Amino acid sequence: MCKYYGTHGHKTEDCRQLKEEVARLFNEGHLREFLNDRAKNHFRERDGNRKSEPEETQHVIHMIIGEVDVPQGPIFKRTKISITRENRTRYYLPEDALTFSEEDIEALSQPDNDALVISILLNKVQVKRVLVDLGSLANIIRSRVVKQLGLLDRIIPVSRVLNGFNMASKRTKGEIILPVNVAGTIQDTKFHVIEGDMRYNASLGRLWIHSMRAVPSTLHQMMKFPTKEGVKTVHGEQHVAKEMFAIKEVVPTPKPLTSKTSTSKGKQVAK
């Protein structure tokens, strides 16, 4: 006989539903008067720890921006990243480890809050002011640059909408696949072609960065990636980055004096 259900079938002490209900009541702070001292102390400590923990998330806000191209092909193994602070630790690192040290920062001009801007080879032409942008998924290139490369006829007229961090939209002119040569490593890369002016000639987003298995560091102003010949390093052009993203100080212009204000000032001086 189960007193909880009031029917036959199992004993009260074997009732799983009753045990779950009692546990729920204990967790909510009820029935504590029936506990022994040891159990009461356990719940007091647990409740104290819960108060010190951050509140549980009540809602989750998701944001979906634009379309996502999923790259096809094999998934590469994870690249080990290490940050070395002492010269001696380098001797214990594998040859293919991508490392950054404090020595890399010493040669930089300070303060260093610059984006990572590099030069690349496109169709055997050096293109400067290329932004390595971890915040962007797409690879972007200006139509003006494609025109200078003499490759306007290779643009595929596929229009897409690119959204920025403030949800400002920009419609693309098309797409083009170009061989990007960085430090002798060439990879065919799809770019979204846009018209108009922007501070950089092209930008390389996460699709290119991940396919290269590259690790960019704005702090060290360099990017490293593994190859069959070993780890290659590409240094950022810090002076170019400072020019591109310089914040111009706006000097307020003084308001012109009117006859009324000049008269009133004259009266104040006379007094």
Side-chain angles (χ1 to χ4, degrees):
M1 175 69 179
C2 177
K3 294 182 180 180
Y4 180 73
Y5 280 102
T7 59
H8 294 276
H10 56 266
K11 296 180 180 180
T12 305
E13 56 268 23
D14 297 332
C15 182
R16 187 181 63 182
Q17 185 67 30
L18 176 59
K19 292 179 180 179
E20 293 177 355
E21 180 66 17
V22 172
R24 183 186 66 82
L25 293 172
F26 278 139
N27 290 328
E28 293 179 356
H30 306 290
L31 306 179
R32 299 288 176 87
E33 64 271 17
F34 299 106
L35 297 175
N36 56 29
D37 294 337
R38 183 177 179 182
K40 287 180 181 179
N41 293 332
H42 168 74
F43 278 101
R44 288 195 194 99
E45 293 177 0
R46 194 199 64 173
D47 294 342
N49 294 332
R50 281 185 175 180
K51 291 180 180 179
S52 60
E53 293 178 355
E55 294 183 359
E56 184 179 356
T57 303
Q58 299 297 325
H59 302 282
V60 179
I61 299 176
H62 298 275
M63 180 177 289
I64 301 175
I65 303 177
E67 300 180 8
V68 178
D69 293 331
V70 180
Q72 302 295 328
I75 300 176
F76 295 99
K77 65 179 181 179
R78 292 184 178 180
T79 303
K80 182 179 180 180
I81 306 171
S82 301
I83 300 178
T84 59
R85 295 186 177 180
E86 299 180 7
N87 294 334
R88 59 179 180 175
T89 59
R90 295 183 178 180
Y91 298 104
Y92 301 99
L93 295 173
E95 295 181 356
D96 58 346
L98 306 182
T99 62
F100 300 91
S101 67
E102 295 295 330
E103 295 178 357
D104 300 326
I105 307 177
E106 294 176 356
L108 301 177
S109 59
Q110 301 297 331
D112 174 21
N113 296 312
D114 305 303
L116 185 59
V117 179
I118 63 174
S119 296
I120 62 176
L121 286 177
L122 290 177
N123 201 28
K124 297 182 180 180
V125 176
Q126 185 180 18
V127 179
K128 292 180 171 293
R129 292 177 175 255
V130 177
L131 176 67
V132 180
D133 190 2
L134 277 169
S136 174
L137 176 67
N139 305 308
I140 303 172
I141 191 170
R142 297 173 62 186
S143 60
R144 187 176 175 182
V145 177
V146 180
K147 181 179 180 180
Q148 292 179 350
L149 293 173
L151 301 174
L152 286 176
D153 56 336
R154 290 177 53 181
I155 296 178
I156 304 171
V158 179
S159 182
R160 294 176 181 263
V161 176
L162 300 178
N163 295 322
F165 72 96
N166 60 347
M167 295 305 294
S169 299
K170 181 74 173 180
R171 186 168 291 277
T172 63
K173 182 179 180 180
E175 299 175 354
I176 186 172
I177 298 178
L178 298 172
V180 176
N181 187 336
V182 177
T185 301
I186 304 174
Q187 185 174 103
D188 290 338
T189 305
K190 181 174 73 174
F191 287 90
H192 295 281
V193 183
I194 65 173
E195 292 181 334
D197 294 329
M198 57 184 184
R199 295 183 177 181
Y200 42 86
N201 291 320
S203 68
L204 297 170
R206 292 192 303 274
L207 284 176
W208 180 86
I209 296 171
H210 291 178
S211 62
M212 289 283 292
R213 294 191 293 163
V215 180
S217 173
T218 56
L219 174 63
H220 301 86
Q221 281 295 298
M222 65 175 57
M223 177 179 64
K224 297 187 179 185
F225 57 92
T227 66
K228 294 180 180 179
E229 294 79 21
V231 176
K232 291 190 176 182
T233 302
V234 179
H235 293 273
E237 300 175 352
Q238 191 180 14
H239 64 286
V240 177
K242 289 185 179 297
E243 294 175 358
M244 288 172 54
F245 298 97
I247 301 176
K248 295 183 179 180
E249 183 179 358
V250 179
V251 180
T253 56
K255 294 182 179 180
L257 295 176
T258 61
S259 59
K260 185 176 181 180
T261 56
S262 60
T263 304
S264 61
K265 283 187 176 181
K267 290 180 179 179
Q268 293 175 359
V269 172
K271 289 179 181 180

